[in-house]
Amino acid sequence: MASLFILRPLRVSLPRSGSQQLRQPAAKAAGVRRSFSSYLVTPQELAEALKKAPPSPISSEPRVIPLCASWFLPNDPEGRTGIDVFREKRIPKARFFDLDKVIDKHSEYPHMLPTPKGFAAAMSELGIRHEDTVVVYDSKELGIFSAPRVGWTLKTFGHPRVHILNNFRLWVEQGLPTESGNVWTVECGTYPIPEMDEAKVAHFEDVREVALDYNKEGAEGVQILDARSYGRWSGKDPEPRPGLSSGHMPGSINIPFDAVLDPQTKAFLPVDKLKQVFKEKGVDPAKPIISSCGTGVTACVLETALNEAQYGSPETRKVYDGSWTEWAQRVKPSDSLIRTVEQHSE
C-alpha cells in the first residue's frame, strides 16, 4: 500500500531569514548556482538539470527539487485528489506540496497564505533548503492548474530560485523518467522563517476600494482579472462551493485561466499568443493589475502568464489571496458589489 512521506522527527529552531545561518549557505550557493533561463522550464531542461544536481539528501550543494503541487476542485467529477495522482505517477524523488494543508489555519477561507512560520515549517518538513532550486509542477491530467499558485507562494515568501514546469503532461508524453507507489523518506531540514512580500498580495480591503471606485472620475484604474469560467463570472453557473453566490466584481475582466493554455497540451501558450490574449481582452499593461479567481489558485495561472509575457509591471501586479470565496462572503448586499451579466443587460 502506498504511503505518504515518512518524515524523520527533528526538533528544530527555525532561524530568521536575515540570520547568519541563512547567509552562509546562500553565499556558498551563489558560486555553484544552477539556474534556468526562464521562470517556465521545459521538461528537457528539468531532466538535464536533475542529472547535474539531483535532490540527494547527502549533498551539501544546491539541488534541483521537483515539487508536485497537484490539486483538484472539491467538486471534481472523478473524485480525484492531488496525493492520489502523485502516488500514481510522479517525477523521481519529487516531494508533494499539499495545497489544502499549507495554509493559514486560522482563516475561514480556503488556501489563504500561511504565516511565515507555517511556511518555513512546511518547507522544513519537505526537506527543502533555502538555496535549493525548486521546480513546481502539476498533474498530467490538468497540465497547468495549481502549480503556479505554489510557485507564487514560494516567490511571495522570498525563495530565491523557483520555477514552473511547463508541463508534466509533456514530461510524460516525451517518455521522461517517472516513478509511482511508495514515497521515499524525506530528511527534514531547517528552513529559515522568511518575510512575506506584501507587495505581491491584494487583500479584501484593497479590492473593495477598487470595485467601489470603478468608473469614478479620478480613479487609479486598477484592473481586476478574473480567472474563473465565464459561467461562474456571469452568474449563470453555480460556484463549486455550496451556498456561494456566483457573479463578478464591478469592472472585472473575465479571462478564464485556460485561455492562456494550449488546448491540447495544457501548457502555457507562447509569449506572442499570451500578449494577444491580454490585448484582445482589453488589459492595459500600463495600469495596475489584480488577478482573482475562486480561492486564489488559478489567479496565479494568469499572474504567471502575465509574468511570462512581460505584460504589466511586476511592481504593480498582485494576486487577490481570498479571491471570490472571500469576496462573496464579505461584501454587503447594500454595496451592490456582486454583479451578473443579467444586471448588465437590464
Side-chain angles (χ1 to χ4, degrees), residues 270-282 311:
V271 168
D272 58 337
K273 291 188 176 180
L274 290 175
K275 289 181 178 178
Q276 183 180 349
V277 169
F278 294 124
K279 185 176 181 180
E280 290 179 350
K281 288 288 187 175
Y311 205 92

Side-chain angles (χ1 to χ4, degrees), residues 17-342:
S17 60
S19 72
Q20 187 70 17
Q21 288 171 277
L22 170 62
R23 288 196 298 269
Q24 288 179 347
K28 183 178 181 181
V32 292
R33 179 177 300 180
R34 298 177 177 90
S35 60
F36 298 99
S37 60
S38 172
Y39 183 54
L40 296 183
V41 175
T42 68
Q44 195 58 48
E45 285 175 326
L46 177 56
E48 290 298 322
L50 287 171
K51 290 178 184 177
K52 297 175 183 177
S56 167
I58 61 173
S59 173
S60 61
E61 301 294 338
R63 308 162 300 171
V64 175
I65 307 290
L67 184 63
C68 178
S70 296
W71 180 77
F72 295 84
L73 286 169
N75 65 339
D76 181 69
E78 299 177 37
R80 297 169 296 186
T81 66
I83 189 60
D84 286 342
V85 299
F86 176 74
R87 287 168 172 160
E88 289 170 11
K89 194 182 291 287
R90 61 182 178 269
I91 296 173
K93 304 297 185 183
R95 293 111 197 263
F96 180 73
F97 189 103
D98 194 331
L99 201 54
D100 285 325
K101 292 184 178 179
V102 188
I103 57 174
D104 180 354
K105 294 180 171 61
H106 299 292
S107 174
E108 60 185 293
Y109 309 111
H111 305 141
M112 299 293 277
L113 284 168
T115 63
K117 187 174 182 180
F119 174 79
M123 296 291 276
S124 297
E125 289 182 358
L126 287 167
I128 295 176
R129 305 168 187 161
H130 188 266
E131 64 268 25
D132 287 335
T133 295
V134 178
V135 181
V136 192
Y137 74 94
D138 257 299
S139 67
K140 66 178 178 61
E141 289 82 0
L142 298 183
I144 292 290
F145 187 59
S146 48
R149 169 69 187 196
V150 174
W152 176 79
T153 298
L154 266 65
K155 290 170 69 176
T156 300
F157 283 109
H159 192 83
R161 287 172 289 282
V162 55
H163 300 269
I164 302 295
L165 177 63
N166 194 30
N167 60 15
F168 186 51
R169 178 179 293 187
L170 290 174
W171 176 285
V172 173
E173 290 179 357
Q174 292 171 16
L176 293 167
T178 61
E179 65 180 14
S180 60
N182 291 335
V183 181
W184 64 297
T185 300
V186 173
E187 186 76 40
C188 289
T190 306
Y191 195 94
I193 298 175
E195 293 182 5
M196 182 190 295
D197 185 355
E198 288 285 352
K200 296 183 184 300
V201 187
H203 300 285
F204 173 78
E205 293 76 13
D206 305 322
V207 183
R208 184 175 183 275
E209 183 177 349
V210 171
L212 288 171
D213 284 347
Y214 175 62
N215 268 347
K216 287 185 178 179
E217 187 176 349
E220 187 180 3
V222 178
Q223 303 159 105
I224 300 174
L225 310 188
D226 193 322
R228 293 174 301 150
S229 67
Y230 174 77
R232 293 166 63 188
W233 178 87
S234 69
K236 294 180 178 179
D237 293 343
E239 289 293 310
R241 289 165 182 80
L244 202 65
S245 300
S246 58
H248 59 269
M249 304 161 199
S252 64
I253 302 171
N254 183 220
I255 307 179
F257 77 92
D258 56 6
V260 300
L261 305 179
D262 181 274
Q264 278 73 47
T265 66
K266 297 301 179 183
F268 280 101
L269 293 170
V271 168
D272 58 337
K273 291 188 176 180
L274 290 175
K275 289 181 178 178
Q276 183 180 349
V277 169
F278 294 124
K279 185 176 181 180
E280 290 179 350
K281 288 288 187 175
V283 182
D284 186 344
K287 295 180 179 179
I289 297 170
I290 296 174
S291 294
S292 181
C293 60
T295 63
V297 175
T298 57
C300 297
V301 176
L302 295 187
E303 166 55 28
T304 301
L306 290 164
N307 180 77
E308 184 68 6
Q310 297 183 353
Y311 205 92
S313 170
E315 286 74 32
T316 58
R317 294 199 314 259
K318 300 174 183 279
V319 170
Y320 177 18
D321 195 22
S323 282
W324 189 256
T325 299
E326 179 184 35
W327 183 264
Q329 293 181 67
R330 290 191 64 180
V331 295
K332 300 175 182 178
S334 59
D335 289 336
S336 299
L337 293 179
I338 294 181
R339 304 288 178 85
T340 65
V341 168
E342 289 180 357

